[in-house]
Amino acid sequence: MESERLFELGEARGKIIGKAEGKAEGKAEGKAEGEAIGETRMRMLINRLIADGRMDEIGRIIDSAEACRELYKEYGL
């Protein structure tokens, strides 16, 4: 029957749209969570560098992702 076919078509479209919206929402939430974790990690690193009197390293991590990774590893962050 035509009404059943249209209902099934609408239901399928609704599932596709819902899935896409859910995926976009999940992606946005994951990005926000990742940014918060990264910011916390950076603050921890900066605090450790200050505590250890390594102020010169702060400028280095701003300019170099590699230097940042090295210090994360060194401090176990």
Side-chain angles (χ1 to χ4, degrees):
M1 194 173 239
E2 183 65 14
S3 61
E4 288 178 16
R5 187 185 73 74
L6 291 174
F7 175 80
E8 289 173 1
L9 179 61
E11 186 176 43
R13 288 183 69 200
K15 286 180 182 179
I16 291 168
I17 292 168
K19 184 176 179 180
E21 289 174 353
K23 186 176 180 180
E25 184 178 323
K27 186 176 179 179
E29 288 175 7
K31 181 180 179 193
E33 185 177 332
E35 287 175 353
I37 290 168
E39 290 170 3
T40 298
R41 189 177 183 204
M42 179 61 74
R43 282 194 306 275
M44 290 173 66
L45 177 58
I46 291 170
N47 284 330
R48 299 280 294 274
L49 292 170
I50 291 169
D52 290 348
R54 297 173 68 180
M55 303 294 282
D56 56 316
E57 299 284 357
I58 294 171
R60 215 180 85 173
I61 63 173
I62 291 169
D63 295 330
S64 170
E66 180 60 32
C68 200
R69 282 190 293 273
E70 289 170 8
L71 289 167
Y72 282 147
K73 185 175 179 180
E74 179 181 330
Y75 281 100
L77 301 172

